[in-house]
Amino acid sequence: MNTLQNTSFSQERALIRVDFNVPLDDNGNVTDDTRIVAALPTIQHILEQGGSCVLMSHLGRPKGSDPKLSLKQIVPTLEKHLGKAIHFCDEVVGSKATAQAAALGQGEVLLIENLRFHEAETKGDKDFSKALSELGTVYVNDAFGTAHRAHASTTVVAQFFPNKKCFGHLLAGEITAIDKVMASGEKPVLAILGGAKVSSKITIIENILSKVDHLIIGGGMAFTFIKAQGGKIGKSICEDEKMPLALSILEQAEALGVQVHLPVDVRAGQDFSNDTPQQIFPINEIPDDWEGMDAGPLSEAKFDTVVKQSKTILWNGPLGVFEFENFSKGTRALGASIVEQTKNGAFSLVGGGDSVAAVKQFNLENEVSYVSTGGGAMLESLEGKTLPGIAAMLA
Ligand code: AMP
């Protein structure tokens, strides 16, 4: 894998695909600079090695040029974090962008305008990609969040740098973390899948069954399995049409020697709100007018035991409706177990959607081994798909 470390940047102009798709307030101020801060190690490495940087990103989903989605608005934040002035080009490709890029001196940074002002970007247009490629002498992809899109700046542009392209620090980190779980993880490997629906996780389950030793199924999707096994789930969410599939997953798991762990009890509410009356029931004996909304204490203890046996842990999806404080205990307890086991030496990856929101909400981001930044890209990786942005770098 070509990385920053085995690529030379001295006298080179690096064209870097970053992810500066940050939230802005009505006055165009950046309200969360996490993604800008995350891009700094790659930029700083290249500048320290004697190169210059041309940064390109999308921001939002503009239909043509739109001043409200101009990347110019992020210049002050980027300058503050880099500790130096940067150049901005109000064009993406064209004579101005080419001239500004060519004029860059060693140690200088140019940010070009929002790639998606041109629909050629999302179409993966070859001429547009070629024009982009002319802005740099080496291509660096550091945007995992868009690596599952075959866009011009994320995928097609790579072909114009046959021998001069590499993964940035962030993207390399994501690839290494996924590989540790899916291919080279120390056993026992545990996957924890939660969240609302079996249907949205089915491809992931099918892909990971042959790679894990233990599988915890929690959250709303557990009820489809419990009902399929004859349990009474009250008015908990359930995808009745997926019940045969749930039984077949359990059979496949058994055939592969994978131990599946379902919740044994549940914190239920009478309606879907934070302040609804709450009661704990066995998972398969929920009364008709109650709805399972969080893992119960016995399930927490059961899952804790499984987590504490594991050396590699993947966590995707919450164990309950963690957005409601009163139904966040199960997800919180699981987070705490994973943190403890990480301290004991396990590798833990939290990725894909709401479990990332959960670890952030509980302030555990820095206590697990890796938190993925790419929602859709992470899900597709866990589904076993080859991401076009990554494939293009390896071609
Ligand atoms: P997903 O995006 O599939 O990972 O699902 C995440 C969502 O699942 C979160 O918004 C949770 O509130 C929801 N969820 C988890 N457990 C339950 C449950 N028992 N009942 C309803 N929704 C749930």
Side-chain angles (χ1 to χ4, degrees):
M1 174 160 98
N2 281 346
T3 60
L4 292 176
Q5 282 65 37
N6 55 27
T7 303
S8 165
F9 291 101
S10 175
Q11 309 294 326
E12 301 282 357
R13 190 176 350 122
L15 176 67
I16 315 178
R17 179 47 161 106
V18 288
D19 180 3
F20 285 165
N21 184 28
V22 294
L24 301 172
D25 66 16
D26 290 344
N27 299 319
N29 299 309
V30 175
T31 55
D32 180 350
D33 60 8
T34 310
R35 287 180 172 163
I36 295 174
V37 173
L40 296 175
T42 293
I43 300 169
Q44 278 159 340
H45 174 90
I46 292 168
L47 298 180
E48 279 161 18
Q49 297 297 309
S52 58
C53 298
V54 178
L55 307 177
M56 56 178 177
S57 176
H58 76 284
L59 175 61
R61 295 184 172 188
K63 304 237 176 314
S65 289
D66 177 353
K68 286 207 169 85
L69 291 173
S70 170
L71 276 172
K72 188 165 192 183
Q73 300 166 102
I74 72 149
V75 169
T77 311
L78 184 55
E79 287 185 331
K80 183 183 88 184
H81 287 298
L82 270 177
K84 60 158 72 191
I86 65 161
H87 304 276
F88 179 74
C89 179
D90 59 9
E91 205 174 70
V92 179
V93 288
S95 53
K96 214 195 273 183
T98 310
Q100 277 189 260
L104 275 189
Q106 208 176 335
E108 291 191 315
V109 178
L110 168 69
L111 173 65
I112 61 170
E113 187 50 288
N114 190 344
L115 290 158
R116 290 198 191 163
F117 284 1
H118 295 253
E119 60 174 10
E121 161 64 1
T122 48
K123 289 199 163 137
D125 181 84
K126 203 162 174 183
D127 292 336
F128 179 72
S129 307
K130 183 162 192 314
L132 284 176
S133 75
E134 284 160 9
L135 300 178
T137 57
V138 48
Y139 172 62
V140 180
N141 190 351
D142 208 17
F144 180 66
T146 47
H148 58 316
R149 310 270 185 225
H151 293 172
S153 68
T154 60
T155 301
V156 187
V157 71
Q159 65 189 251
F160 297 101
F161 297 90
N163 302 311
K164 287 180 98 174
K165 54 185 180 235
C166 74
F167 295 105
H169 173 75
L170 275 181
L171 188 46
E174 296 274 356
I175 294 170
T176 307
I178 294 166
D179 183 77
K180 269 196 187 163
V181 172
M182 307 293 273
S184 60
E186 195 182 340
K187 285 173 154 296
V189 179
L190 160 67
I192 304 157
L193 296 182
K197 291 183 168 179
V198 178
S199 50
S200 65
K201 302 282 160 88
I202 183 63
T203 324
I204 297 183
I205 300 179
E206 284 172 347
N207 184 44
I208 60 174
L209 265 188
S210 60
K211 302 175 170 65
V212 301
D213 304 294
H214 294 272
L215 175 63
I216 290 177
I217 296 177
M221 64 187 264
F223 297 110
T224 302
F225 288 81
I226 300 294
K227 188 171 173 187
Q229 290 176 317
K232 282 177 64 209
I233 60 164
K235 53 179 187 175
S236 309
I237 56 170
C238 181
E239 292 168 279
D240 284 350
E241 71 288 0
K242 297 290 176 211
M243 291 197 300
L245 184 64
L247 291 177
S248 120
I249 289 169
L250 294 176
E251 274 170 26
Q252 284 175 53
E254 195 175 348
L256 289 164
V258 178
Q259 291 189 47
V260 178
H261 309 273
L262 286 158
V264 284
D265 62 348
V266 69
R267 291 184 170 92
Q270 281 185 323
D271 60 63
F272 194 75
S273 71
N274 185 46
D275 298 319
T276 185
Q278 191 178 120
Q279 212 169 304
I280 295 167
F281 299 104
I283 191 87
N284 52 3
E285 290 174 31
I286 306 174
D288 286 348
D289 49 349
W290 289 80
E291 172 170 1
M293 284 162 64
D294 192 12
L298 297 176
S299 308
E300 284 172 21
K302 177 180 173 183
F303 295 161
D304 180 68
T305 307
V306 181
V307 168
K308 296 288 169 57
Q309 292 167 8
S310 304
K311 290 271 180 359
T312 303
I313 303 164
L314 163 72
W315 181 18
N316 172 285
L319 292 190
V321 189
F322 73 100
E323 300 92 333
F324 294 155
E325 178 62 29
N326 292 340
F327 291 94
S328 65
K329 285 200 181 77
T331 305
R332 231 176 244 282
L334 176 67
S337 302
I338 295 173
V339 165
E340 257 186 78
Q341 189 59 3
T342 308
K343 288 197 181 113
N344 291 336
F347 177 82
S348 53
L349 164 63
V350 183
D354 274 336
S355 35
V356 173
V359 292
K360 288 189 175 164
Q361 186 176 313
F362 307 151
N363 281 326
L364 302 177
E365 285 167 273
N366 298 322
E367 303 192 57
V368 293
S369 311
Y370 198 85
V371 180
S372 173
T373 55
M378 187 60 172
L379 291 177
E380 290 196 16
S381 300
L382 299 178
E383 286 172 352
K385 295 186 183 144
T386 306
L387 307 188
I390 293 176
M393 297 301 283
L394 301 172

